[in-house]
Amino acid sequence: MGPVRTRFAPSPTGYLHIGGVRTALFNWLLTQRYGGQFILRIDDTDAERNRTEALQPILDGFKWLGINWDEGPEIGGNCGPYFQSQRQHLYDEAAKRLVASGHAYPCVVTADELRVDRETSEKAKKPYIHRGPRRDADPASNVALLAERRLPIRLKVPVGTTIVLDDLIRGHVEWKADDLGDPVILRADGRALYNFATVVDDAAMKITHIVRAAEHLSNTPLQLVAYAALGEPIPHFAHVPVVNEPNSKKKLSKRDMAKFLTSEIRDKLERIGWTKEQIAARDDLNPATVAFYKEMGYLPASLINYLARLGWSMDDHSEIIDIKTMVANFGLERVNSSSASFDPDKLYWVAGEYMKELPLSEKIAGCLPFLVRAGVLPDQPSPFQLEQLERIIVASGDRIKLFSDILQYGTPLISPVVSYDEKAVNKRLRKDGVAPVLAAFAEVMQTMEPFEPHALEAALQALSLERGTQPSLLIHALRVACTGIEVGPGVYDVLGILGRDESLRRIRSCPAFI
């Protein structure tokens, strides 16, 4: 395959959506494999629906993921994306060329007349297909008319023909031109319509492969007509299947994002330091957007891995694929033509696999901001606090799959105030015989040396044997007494991290003795 140029062209009508990122990733991987260029273009011609506040999260999301675009206008010393709103003159010039060549014409039918025609077709249960009265007029007269009046311009769709596409994912697709009306490509005020602007831009940018969501397949026949009318080579098209909601065959849509912000998700966001007001003000703090995964502490490489595998496979068994291997093996021929459902649990597993391989220093650096934001640690932790954090991360092991997981396992050990889970207390501390065993073990802990996990384990086993109790009775009781919860690092690590004095303070003041 020769040089490849692809583009991703989001509209800033909403935040960076998971399905959109997957499409952008496929474009980026294709260019990376074949040494091409990946272009980011913001399709912001829909002024009524554009949201200024949605643009920066789109750019930030790509930078966080490492999906970098290769060219664009210089903005503040950096390579910025292209904006369709800044390219209007190109669409105007192209439309006028099509009128002069007889491939387009001015629309003289009024909006009211179009509405009546459409309603008549609907009543007759016939598809509405509009072809204007100036369609077959002499091109020179159409040019002269546009010089006198500002009118919409329609593209002339050839009648009696079949429009054909050999899609790289969906295969052979055909449309009958007679089923298509002549679309407006330029409004009377000069603004270009999507199907025309995207063709003009893709041709000007010499895009070789258009990899986009399957929902755009319906736009393709009119775009193919526009390419032919402009005399431009037609790129390769590949329409990737949509991403569905978890356990559903319904598309994961940014229009339905509100329902994904469940009470459970709100609780997670509040635990990492977001207020109710901040959550309400941020549409992108939602599992359907990229920003959510950044805020929750996912490693970007894990999200890249998961999204690439959501519809593409390298072989019949590989799940964890590093980016270099992915680039070396990516191809559209192994992209599925059927949709796939987004699976948060699978993504969480993938995130854990990547976290396992992260160097300890990077885990500490990634976990620390979450503890600071939640107020568990100060902005400038002491050497002791940093050492304690390191020990907690090592003791937590594979339990930490996201950086934000440190709050669950670290907070009970770092915070001096123990927050007791009532269910855990009733189950582990208020059982008959627990208080005497805890008190006895506290006496052992008072003088034992060295105060470290192996010695603590040996002492607990010996005391349990002496008293004829199961070691698990004391293990569970110690964990709840010292942390308030039933899950976390091993209990001997917990005691070692807390140290002798803090462990004894927590044990002797726990609900078992109240």
Side-chain angles (χ1 to χ4, degrees):
M1 187 182 294
V4 171
R5 286 174 64 83
T6 68
R7 52 72 166 173
F8 181 65
S11 60
T13 56
Y15 292 96
L16 191 54
H17 180 262
I18 284 294
V21 174
R22 201 261 317 248
T23 301
L25 176 61
F26 284 0
N27 277 278
W28 184 82
L29 288 171
L30 192 65
T31 57
Q32 289 293 306
R33 179 175 182 184
Y34 293 103
Q37 293 81 41
F38 170 67
I39 295 169
L40 179 62
R41 186 179 74 225
I42 307 300
D43 284 3
D44 56 348
T45 56
D46 191 349
E48 290 78 13
R49 295 180 60 221
N50 289 340
R51 298 175 62 183
T52 304
E53 73 275 14
L55 176 60
Q56 194 58 47
I58 290 175
L59 305 182
D60 292 344
F62 280 124
K63 290 175 182 176
W64 176 66
L65 290 168
I67 301 178
N68 300 312
W69 53 96
D70 295 307
E71 67 176 62
E74 185 172 309
I75 300 176
N78 297 313
C79 176
Y82 291 101
F83 292 86
Q84 282 195 329
S85 58
Q86 299 172 4
R87 300 169 63 82
Q88 186 59 48
H89 62 289
L90 297 177
Y91 317 138
D92 186 56
E93 293 168 2
K96 289 178 179 177
R97 287 202 312 271
L98 292 184
V99 173
S101 65
H103 291 95
Y105 60 92
C107 180
V108 294
V109 182
T110 67
D112 285 340
E113 290 171 332
L114 289 171
R115 177 179 52 78
V116 171
D117 287 349
R118 185 177 292 107
E119 290 174 353
T120 301
S121 296
E122 290 175 355
K123 288 179 181 178
K125 296 184 179 180
K126 293 181 179 179
Y128 176 66
I129 300 171
H130 179 80
R131 293 190 173 89
R134 301 289 306 183
R135 173 186 171 91
D136 297 319
D138 178 64
S141 67
N142 282 334
V143 171
L145 179 59
L146 285 170
E148 297 172 2
R149 297 168 58 188
R150 299 190 66 176
L151 294 166
I153 296 176
R154 289 186 180 272
L155 178 67
K156 186 189 295 186
V157 177
V159 297
T161 62
T162 299
I163 302 169
V164 176
L165 173 70
D166 287 313
D167 192 275
L168 296 178
I169 294 175
R170 306 182 71 86
H172 188 78
V173 188
E174 293 185 355
W175 298 268
K176 291 182 179 179
D178 290 354
D179 293 337
L180 306 173
D182 292 345
V184 172
I185 57 175
L186 213 67
R187 296 183 178 91
D189 62 8
R191 289 182 298 159
L193 275 294
Y194 166 77
N195 275 331
F196 185 59
T198 195
V199 168
V200 173
D201 279 335
D202 288 341
M205 295 175 179
K206 300 188 184 306
I207 301 301
T208 62
H209 292 69
I210 296 177
V211 183
R212 60 187 183 183
E215 62 199 57
H216 286 289
L217 185 63
S218 59
N219 295 320
T220 307
L222 293 176
Q223 292 175 8
L224 293 175
V225 171
Y227 275 108
L230 290 167
E232 296 287 353
I234 296 175
H236 298 285
F237 282 84
H239 288 88
V240 300
V242 299
V243 176
N244 289 335
E245 295 178 4
N247 304 310
S248 171
K249 293 184 178 180
K250 182 181 179 182
K251 176 191 170 187
L252 182 68
S253 173
K254 56 187 177 184
R255 292 185 177 88
D256 294 332
M257 280 172 46
K259 70 181 180 183
F260 301 117
L261 191 58
T262 63
S263 58
E264 180 183 1
I265 295 298
R266 289 178 187 275
D267 289 344
K268 286 182 179 180
L269 290 168
E270 288 179 28
R271 280 199 296 272
I272 65 174
W274 290 93
T275 66
K276 288 182 172 63
E277 293 74 21
Q278 289 172 325
I279 296 169
R282 286 276 301 269
D283 287 355
D284 59 334
L285 291 180
N286 188 299
T289 71
V290 167
F292 172 80
Y293 299 95
K294 180 182 179 181
E295 296 297 341
M296 290 301 298
Y298 282 76
L299 286 168
S302 68
L303 187 57
I304 289 284
N305 189 148
Y306 175 76
L307 291 176
R309 285 287 293 110
L310 194 62
W312 171 79
S313 61
M314 184 176 73
D315 49 42
D316 60 359
H317 62 277
S318 299
E319 291 288 351
I320 304 302
I321 310 171
D322 65 76
I323 193 67
K324 289 184 178 179
T325 303
M326 205 179 292
V327 167
N329 290 275
F330 184 80
L332 295 172
E333 69 279 359
R334 291 193 68 89
V335 174
N336 295 331
S337 59
S338 56
S339 58
S341 293
F342 185 72
D343 185 345
D345 294 334
K346 180 70 172 290
L347 172 56
Y348 187 62
W349 174 80
V350 172
E353 294 301 297
Y354 272 83
M355 190 64 78
K356 287 178 185 178
E357 304 301 320
L358 198 69
L360 179 59
S361 61
E362 293 182 35
K363 284 187 181 180
I364 295 171
C367 288
L368 183 58
F370 286 90
L371 292 166
V372 171
R373 183 187 179 101
V376 179
L377 285 177
D379 291 342
Q380 298 294 328
S382 67
F384 169 77
Q385 289 170 323
L386 290 175
E387 179 185 355
Q388 188 181 37
L389 173 58
E390 179 178 339
R391 294 181 68 183
I392 291 169
I393 291 173
V394 171
S396 298
D398 296 346
R399 295 179 183 87
I400 295 180
K401 294 176 172 57
L402 316 177
F403 290 132
S404 62
D405 287 343
I406 191 62
L407 294 173
Q408 178 181 354
Y409 302 114
T411 302
L413 296 172
I414 297 172
S415 176
V417 178
V418 182
S419 179
Y420 288 100
D421 176 72
E422 191 63 24
K423 184 178 178 180
V425 168
N426 291 333
K427 183 178 179 182
R428 301 301 183 186
L429 295 182
R430 292 191 174 128
K431 292 175 64 174
D432 290 342
V434 166
V437 176
L438 271 176
F441 191 65
E443 291 302 315
V444 173
M445 290 169 58
Q446 185 76 48
T447 57
M448 67 173 293
E449 292 291 347
F451 193 85
E452 50 86 24
H454 290 299
L456 287 163
E457 181 178 8
L460 184 146
Q461 296 289 339
L463 180 65
S464 297
L465 181 63
E466 176 187 325
R467 289 185 165 258
T469 60
Q470 290 294 322
S472 59
L473 177 75
L474 186 50
I475 289 172
H476 292 310
L478 282 168
R479 183 190 302 283
V480 176
C482 290
T483 68
I485 55 178
E486 289 192 85
V487 295
V491 71
Y492 309 114
D493 288 315
V494 166
L495 297 173
I497 291 168
L498 290 173
R500 188 197 316 272
D501 292 345
E502 180 64 12
S503 295
L504 288 172
R505 182 187 73 81
R506 294 186 180 204
I507 291 169
R508 287 168 175 165
S509 61
C510 79
F513 302 109
I514 298 174

